[in-house]
Amino acid sequence: MNNKTTRRKFVQQTSLLAGGLLAAPLFSKGNFFSGSDDTIKVALIGCGGRGTGAAVQALSTKQNVQLVAMADAFRDRIDSCYRAIANSLSEAGVTDAKRKFDVPEERKFVGFDAYAKAIPLADVVILTTPPGFRPIHFEEAVKQGKHVFMEKPVAVDPAGIKKVLDVAEIAKQKKLNVVVGLQRRYQNSYKALYERKDLIGDFMYAQAWWNSSGVWVYDRKPGQTEMEYQMRNWYYFNWLCGDHIVEQHVHNIDVVNWFKGAYPVKAQGMGGRQVRTDKKYGEIFDHHYVEFHYADGSIMNSQCRHIPGTMGKVDELIVGTKGRIYADAARIVDNKGNVLFAFDKNGENNPYQAEHDELFAAIAKGEYKFADAEHGAKSTLTGIIGRMATYSGQVIDFEKALNSGIDIMPKDFSFSATPPVVPNPDGTYPIPVPGKTKYNLG
């Protein structure tokens, strides 16, 4: 695209493409958001911790960015997010904070349908709800002709992945920039390693780790419906989170897929729920170990664990015929241990900020530059087939899973609706059992 194209013209053009889907005019006279020509309007969908951080990062770019709408299932999340953003801008000494952060009461939307009310008001949509909702929200944003920043993972089941891949093609036709929060791809040290990956020769195998003590958990409160409890405690239910092999470990999985330049064709592994067994931990496992096979026979060994008191490690190791890449150490060595490349850590950046810097710079210039949804979806599916492999104890085929139509999302979204999984009479939840849990992959 010609760099001289104005941002206004760029946004208008992108909303007209692909099947004639036309969003409401963004700059029509009399609309509250018909500001100066270079203002990039942003809507935040999902006001938890990651949404708060992403909004601040968007407002911290060099571009003329303005947050104009916020949406969440819960009003208290909007309120806490609003305060946190305001405090962050104040602490940073932002002189035009009122202009950058313009979200009056009438543009704070609450409920399961809040996203549909906020999206039309913006040029760029930030999607940071629990990942189960990502395909639905991504579809609406692209339908409305919006550029997108969406957090990883991008779905929790094969049906969601299929939808994201289909919508990604429409986004490309509309020339909508889409950035996914797999931030290693925007990190200077990882980019430098990637540029020199041929130093290790042909890819042989890789190790990927996300081993930690775990994350937050919220106890049930009196008066909560089952749907509200699960929404509040979303990390422990697959329809919302996808299990930690998908929600967190997708970062490491994506790094290996990126350096490999391919996605696994099948997965097999083992896992379980040995320490985190209380009913408050929902239905997910506390450890997974998966062997992912690529088409050429090379392998990624993946492990992730949420068990306090155990070895912590979040890293990737890639081994080739001539050497190996130590990702976290940002170092490449040959087979004799000689250092072939070492990244100068003084040149490291904040990749979370870089994602937004690059996205908003492209939009401001009228450039179509980012199409992250496809690799985000396929790395997410890699994690999903890993989960299916550990839950079932069977070999799971990537393509068969993708085309299986398996859908674990609710059919009705309301706080009075019944979630896809409900507790047993004793308050515990059904847990997958390897050898008994089955998947119909056709």
Side-chain angles (χ1 to χ4, degrees):
M1 179 175 292
N2 190 323
N3 286 354
K4 293 183 179 179
T5 301
T6 65
R7 190 197 60 78
R8 178 184 295 179
K9 184 176 180 181
F10 181 50
V11 173
Q12 290 173 338
Q13 287 173 340
T14 55
S15 68
L16 285 166
L17 299 174
L21 295 172
L22 176 62
L26 289 175
F27 301 97
S28 58
K29 189 174 181 180
N31 286 352
F32 66 83
F33 45 89
S34 57
S36 61
D37 186 58
D38 66 344
T39 302
I40 303 173
K41 309 288 187 180
V42 176
L44 175 62
I45 315 299
C47 298
R50 183 74 279 270
T52 302
V56 171
Q57 285 148 7
L59 296 175
S60 299
T61 65
K62 295 179 180 179
Q63 277 61 53
N64 186 6
V65 178
Q66 184 181 52
L67 184 63
V68 300
M70 300 171 70
D72 197 276
F74 298 106
R75 175 63 202 225
D76 62 285
R77 301 304 295 168
I78 291 179
D79 292 341
S80 60
C81 178
Y82 185 91
R83 290 192 297 269
I85 294 171
N87 289 338
S88 293
L89 295 177
S90 176
E91 291 171 3
V94 177
T95 56
D96 58 344
K98 285 189 176 181
R99 189 204 59 76
K100 280 183 167 290
F101 186 32
D102 182 22
V103 190
E105 283 299 307
E106 62 268 23
R107 297 205 296 273
K108 297 175 182 175
F109 303 102
V110 180
F112 284 98
D113 63 347
Y115 71 99
K117 299 172 184 176
I119 287 173
L121 308 182
D123 305 326
V124 183
V125 179
I126 295 174
L127 303 179
T128 48
T129 62
F133 295 103
R134 200 85 71 241
I136 301 168
H137 296 170
F138 180 47
E139 181 179 45
E140 183 64 20
V142 170
K143 179 181 178 181
Q144 294 275 347
K146 312 303 180 182
H147 302 282
V148 174
F149 172 84
M150 59 177 171
E151 259 305 333
K152 57 72 214 168
V154 301
V156 295
D157 57 25
I161 294 296
K162 193 77 167 177
K163 175 175 286 190
V164 169
L165 288 170
D166 290 344
V167 174
E169 288 304 310
I170 298 173
K172 289 177 184 178
Q173 294 169 27
K174 291 188 172 187
K175 298 190 183 303
L176 296 171
N177 286 292
V178 179
V179 167
V180 172
L182 293 165
Q183 78 279 353
R184 297 301 194 198
R185 292 178 182 247
Y186 294 83
Q187 187 168 343
N188 287 346
S189 58
Y190 276 77
K191 290 194 294 183
L193 293 172
Y194 180 79
E195 290 168 359
R196 296 164 177 82
K197 63 186 176 65
D198 290 344
L199 290 174
I200 68 168
D202 296 331
F203 183 109
M204 293 174 61
Y205 68 90
Q207 297 282 149
W209 300 268
W210 189 300
N211 292 336
S212 70
S213 60
V215 298
W216 47 263
V217 59
Y218 298 123
D219 292 329
R220 190 183 297 271
K221 293 184 178 180
Q224 284 182 327
T225 65
E226 182 62 27
M227 179 65 84
E228 180 178 355
Y229 170 70
Q230 292 191 20
M231 286 282 288
R232 294 283 190 182
N233 213 39
W234 62 268
Y235 205 95
Y236 299 96
F237 298 94
N238 281 320
W239 72 271
L240 287 161
C241 166
D243 205 315
H244 62 108
I245 189 174
V246 176
E247 209 285 331
Q248 282 183 318
H249 193 38
V250 66
H251 283 295
N252 317 100
I253 288 169
D254 180 65
V255 167
V256 176
N257 287 342
W258 174 30
F259 278 65
K260 171 64 180 174
Y263 301 92
V265 296
K266 61 183 179 180
Q268 73 85 23
M270 61 186 72
R273 187 178 165 104
Q274 183 175 357
V275 173
R276 198 167 53 188
T277 57
D278 192 276
K279 61 186 177 183
K280 68 183 178 182
Y281 297 116
E283 61 176 331
I284 70 173
F285 281 4
D286 59 19
H287 64 282
H288 303 260
Y289 200 113
V290 182
E291 184 181 271
F292 293 101
H293 291 254
Y294 294 95
D296 63 2
S298 58
I299 291 174
M300 166 173 46
N301 286 309
S302 146
Q303 56 178 282
C304 59
R305 177 172 59 209
H306 275 185
I307 299 178
T310 61
M311 179 198 75
K313 189 177 182 68
V314 179
D315 200 358
E316 305 85 26
L317 167 67
I318 299 170
V319 179
T321 53
K322 297 180 180 179
R324 56 188 61 198
I325 297 172
Y326 295 92
D328 187 59
R331 192 161 48 94
I332 302 175
V333 302
D334 66 17
N335 287 332
K336 295 181 179 180
N338 299 309
V339 177
L340 303 177
F341 172 74
F343 180 79
D344 182 354
K345 290 288 187 159
N346 290 323
E348 192 62 282
N349 64 341
N350 178 342
Y352 299 95
Q353 185 61 52
E355 295 171 319
H356 294 271
D357 289 343
E358 294 188 33
L359 171 62
F360 284 95
I363 294 170
K365 293 175 183 177
E367 295 177 344
Y368 171 56
K369 190 175 179 181
F370 299 103
D372 290 359
E374 182 176 351
H375 72 245
K378 290 183 177 180
S379 283
T380 298
L381 182 58
T382 305
I384 291 171
I385 68 168
R387 180 189 75 213
M388 295 169 69
T390 60
Y391 280 11
S392 67
Q394 304 299 316
V395 177
I396 304 295
D397 182 275
F398 186 98
E399 287 295 328
K400 287 183 179 180
L402 176 62
N403 295 306
S404 67
I406 292 173
D407 182 348
I408 63 174
M409 295 297 291
K411 305 307 176 190
D412 179 24
F413 292 105
S414 72
F415 285 116
S416 60
T418 302
V421 59
V422 295
N424 299 313
D426 63 357
T428 62
Y429 290 87
I431 306 302
V433 178
K436 294 184 178 181
T437 298
K438 304 291 184 183
Y439 295 103
N440 181 12
L441 300 183

